[in-house]
Amino acid sequence: MIRVQNTSYAVSGTTILSDINLEITQGVVTALVGPNGAGKSTLLSLIARINKAQSGQITVDDLTIGDCDDRDLALRLSILTQDNTMGARLTVRDLVSFGRYPHHRGRATADDLATIETAIDRFDLTELADRYLDDLSGGQKQRAFIAMTFAQNTDYILLDEPLNNLDIAASRHLMPLLHDLCADQGKTIIVVLHDLNYAARYADQLVMMRDGQVVAQGTPKEVLTAQNVSDVFQTEADVRIIDGRPMVIV
């Protein structure tokens, strides 16, 4: 389980996160939702130790972030950030292979190679596996980076706006896949989403944030109320329940 306790973060005197207390349910998809500047991406970066929390404590199972070994954390938790830059002359297979480095440390085994090919296939990249990244569309590159993250094969997967650059078909393929990985393999996935209806349809739990604080946490039906959407996003919305899930209509 991931626990965030009394955690705050500021940049140049500006508070980004304020006294966050949060427990992420294990084995499900949890979506972080909220307007720009709510602190969603910063929270992911603190959990993954990309940035250092300035107060409080974050734990991933028995690992305390900031005290544990980098490799121990990399074997337990993977993250896809929004800022993905790699050498243009890498192939898709080269990129996906990087996800296995925490495991083999430069000496890939047959199991590592098989895991890489599985990730390539799972994200429909087989025909693109030997193409260079600079020859791909934005959506194809995004799928390759997601495949790299999944090739790391960690219990916890953090995805910061993974639907960026993906068209409708690719988005509708990815989100059920995330849910299936939790159901079938026991993965715990935390994903930052801007589309509230994707979050409502495919996430098991929602964490709604505003101004660096958690406003609501629970099932999509509990969190995505018309009042919460109005208060957090400062816009009126009609929320209807369709097939047991809320749908936000603006």
Side-chain angles (χ1 to χ4, degrees):
M1 178 178 289
I2 296 177
R3 288 187 174 89
V4 183
Q5 298 173 289
N6 307 118
T7 297
S8 298
Y9 187 78
V11 176
S12 300
T14 299
T15 298
I16 309 299
L17 294 173
S18 178
D19 198 28
I20 298 292
N21 286 279
L22 190 63
E23 288 190 358
I24 301 297
T25 303
Q26 206 157 0
V28 302
V29 178
T30 295
L32 305 185
V33 299
N36 291 333
K40 306 180 297 295
S41 297
T42 299
L43 179 57
L44 285 195
S45 76
L46 298 186
I47 295 172
R49 201 163 66 174
I50 294 173
N51 291 318
K52 183 179 180 181
Q54 296 161 346
S55 66
Q57 184 182 72
I58 301 173
T59 57
V60 178
D61 294 336
D62 59 333
L63 302 178
T64 299
I65 304 303
D67 294 335
C68 65
D69 181 78
D70 285 344
R71 187 184 183 192
D72 289 340
L73 184 62
L75 292 173
R76 196 80 58 90
L77 179 148
S78 56
I79 183 169
L80 175 71
T81 66
Q82 293 183 54
D83 184 20
N84 299 316
T85 55
M86 286 284 184
R89 300 313 290 173
L90 289 174
T91 67
V92 169
R93 183 173 281 107
D94 292 335
L95 176 65
V96 177
S97 298
F98 288 149
R100 297 304 300 165
Y101 185 79
H103 297 268
H104 61 61
R105 311 294 281 186
R107 293 186 174 184
T109 66
D111 285 344
D112 291 314
L113 298 178
T115 300
I116 291 163
E117 294 306 315
T118 297
I120 288 172
D121 177 69
R122 177 164 283 167
F123 290 94
D124 294 332
L125 294 166
T126 301
E127 294 183 0
L128 303 174
D130 296 316
R131 297 247 317 256
Y132 290 109
L133 295 181
D134 58 354
D135 294 332
L136 304 182
S137 69
Q140 290 168 335
K141 287 181 184 177
Q142 183 74 348
R143 282 192 286 131
F145 276 102
I146 295 170
M148 176 189 70
T149 307
F150 275 85
Q152 199 168 327
N153 196 26
T154 55
D155 292 335
Y156 299 92
I157 302 167
L158 280 52
L159 302 171
D160 194 355
E161 298 191 34
L163 302 188
N164 279 355
N165 297 315
L166 297 186
D167 59 23
I168 292 175
S171 297
R172 292 188 66 184
H173 173 74
L174 174 63
M175 293 307 298
L177 177 58
L178 299 183
H179 198 274
D180 289 346
L181 283 167
C182 291
D184 298 339
Q185 299 182 23
K187 303 291 187 184
T188 300
I189 298 174
I190 309 174
V191 54
V192 173
L193 292 174
H194 276 294
D195 191 312
L196 295 179
N197 288 325
Y198 271 111
R201 174 66 181 84
Y202 295 109
D204 303 288
Q205 293 282 308
L206 299 187
V207 175
M208 183 175 280
M209 299 181 66
R210 180 188 64 192
D211 298 331
Q213 297 181 315
V214 174
V215 175
Q217 181 180 10
T219 66
K221 195 173 181 179
E222 292 169 337
V223 172
L224 284 181
T225 65
Q227 188 65 57
N228 280 345
V229 172
S230 175
D231 290 345
V232 170
F233 291 90
Q234 300 297 297
T235 187
E236 297 301 318
D238 181 15
V239 178
R240 302 179 186 178
I241 304 299
I242 299 177
D243 294 332
R245 297 265 181 168
M247 175 171 284
V248 180
I249 302 171
V250 295

